[in-house]
Amino acid sequence: MFRLAKERGYQTYFYSAQPENQMMIMSIMGKTWVDHLLFPSDIGYKRSEGMHDHALLPLFEQIDLSEGNHFIVLHQRGSHAPYAYYLSEEEKAFKENTPLDNYDSTLYNTDQFIEKVFKQLKQHHDDWVLIYTSDHGQFVSNQVYNQGTAETNYLVPIMTYTENTALQQLQRPFLACDRLFHQQLSTFIIKMLGYDMPISDCQHGVINSLILTGDSGYLEVQANQPPAFFIPKNRFKKE
């Protein structure tokens, strides 16, 4: 995505609230094509420390959106465990201090984060698109909380919003879908950047397990069918 944006003349940004030493994935995300890469350690935190998601907002507000095109990723810590670790007691909307209440407080905090980004974009002309999604969810109760292949772990929100009528037309394929897949969002962004790529349909999707290649297994999701889990044969196994 960053390379495709760069080749269209965009300035590219990846601002993360997550600890730098937990972001080894950047080595496969094309960071060569990121003009402005920032972790908490770049503004005074230790490499092992994350920061409050809202600390990304002043950095975002410093970007001059009035000149040129910008491809911006604000990478939140969000609702990772331990839940509400970065929230003050005043910021916890749910006060029982249970795992479920703390998790719900992080969701409310994310809503506030999105609202502030939206208000910042509203100050500019309508040639922008605000997108929010998550890579995974969580199964959370006061007794058990984990990340796996249950529906609560892979049914995540996707939101796109724009006031630009031409860009709104690109979202029309989404309207026919009860559920979207991240691949649709990816192809939507690629098409929005000006490339001739059709937006994927919502009939089929794949959710990889622990390894992004799918070598440790993957969940295949088809419209109107139960999901099925597959573990590929080890092609390196000796006979």
Side-chain angles (χ1 to χ4, degrees):
M1 290 294 180
F2 290 116
R3 179 174 180 173
L4 293 175
K6 282 295 297 176
E7 290 180 349
R8 288 292 182 183
Y10 283 71
Q11 281 285 302
T12 55
Y13 305 76
F14 187 91
Y15 290 170
S16 179
Q18 296 206 32
E20 183 179 0
N21 68 357
Q22 295 181 17
M23 289 299 298
M24 283 71 75
I25 195 174
M26 290 304 300
S27 63
I28 61 172
M29 282 179 58
K31 65 180 180 181
T32 300
W33 305 96
V34 180
D35 296 313
H36 309 278
L37 179 63
L38 185 143
F39 295 106
S41 52
D42 292 310
I43 55 175
Y45 294 83
K46 297 177 182 178
R47 292 186 74 254
S48 59
E49 291 180 326
M51 66 184 185
H52 197 300
D53 289 337
H54 289 235
L56 295 171
L57 295 169
L59 303 169
F60 172 59
E61 291 166 2
Q62 291 171 18
I63 300 172
D64 183 4
L65 299 178
S66 64
E67 293 291 334
N69 296 320
H70 305 269
F71 186 85
I72 303 167
V73 177
L74 301 178
H75 183 233
Q76 299 163 251
R77 185 65 182 166
S79 299
H80 285 85
Y83 308 126
Y85 177 79
Y86 295 99
L87 301 185
S88 66
E89 290 302 316
E90 291 74 19
E91 290 174 310
K92 293 180 181 179
F94 304 92
K95 302 298 185 181
E96 294 300 320
N97 214 31
T98 62
L100 188 55
D101 267 7
N102 285 338
Y103 180 76
D104 287 343
S105 289
T106 66
L107 302 183
Y108 179 67
N109 189 258
T110 295
D111 286 344
Q112 293 177 309
F113 180 90
I114 295 170
E115 180 183 18
K116 290 177 180 179
V117 173
F118 171 74
K119 287 181 176 178
Q120 177 70 10
L121 291 172
K122 284 278 287 184
Q123 298 177 27
H124 301 273
H125 53 78
D126 67 353
D127 191 17
W128 52 265
V129 179
L130 172 61
I131 297 171
Y132 175 81
T133 192
S134 175
D135 56 343
H136 62 81
Q138 299 269 284
F139 174 81
V140 184
S141 72
N142 286 328
Q143 291 73 41
V144 179
Y145 39 97
N146 58 40
Q147 178 183 330
T149 54
E151 274 201 348
T152 48
N153 298 127
Y154 66 79
L155 288 182
V156 299
I158 288 181
M159 180 200 77
T160 68
Y161 182 83
T162 179
E163 297 180 349
N164 183 291
T165 53
L167 295 174
Q168 286 172 359
Q169 292 303 308
L170 290 182
Q171 300 177 106
R172 292 189 66 83
F174 296 167
L175 301 178
C177 299
D178 293 328
R179 295 180 180 178
L180 305 180
F181 293 99
H182 279 133
Q183 182 174 330
Q184 285 175 280
L185 186 59
S186 299
T187 51
F188 166 69
I189 293 171
I190 292 169
K191 191 171 184 66
M192 187 170 57
L193 289 171
Y195 293 92
D196 185 17
M197 172 174 278
I199 297 174
S200 299
D201 64 39
C202 51
Q203 300 304 304
H204 174 262
V206 171
I207 301 162
N208 290 326
S209 189
L210 295 176
I211 301 176
L212 293 179
T213 60
D215 285 347
S216 65
Y218 59 91
L219 200 67
E220 193 170 85
V221 181
Q222 306 253 13
N224 304 316
Q225 295 184 29
F229 188 73
F230 296 91
I231 300 178
K233 293 181 180 179
N234 188 347
R235 60 183 180 272
F236 304 109
K237 184 178 179 180
K238 293 182 180 179
E239 296 296 334

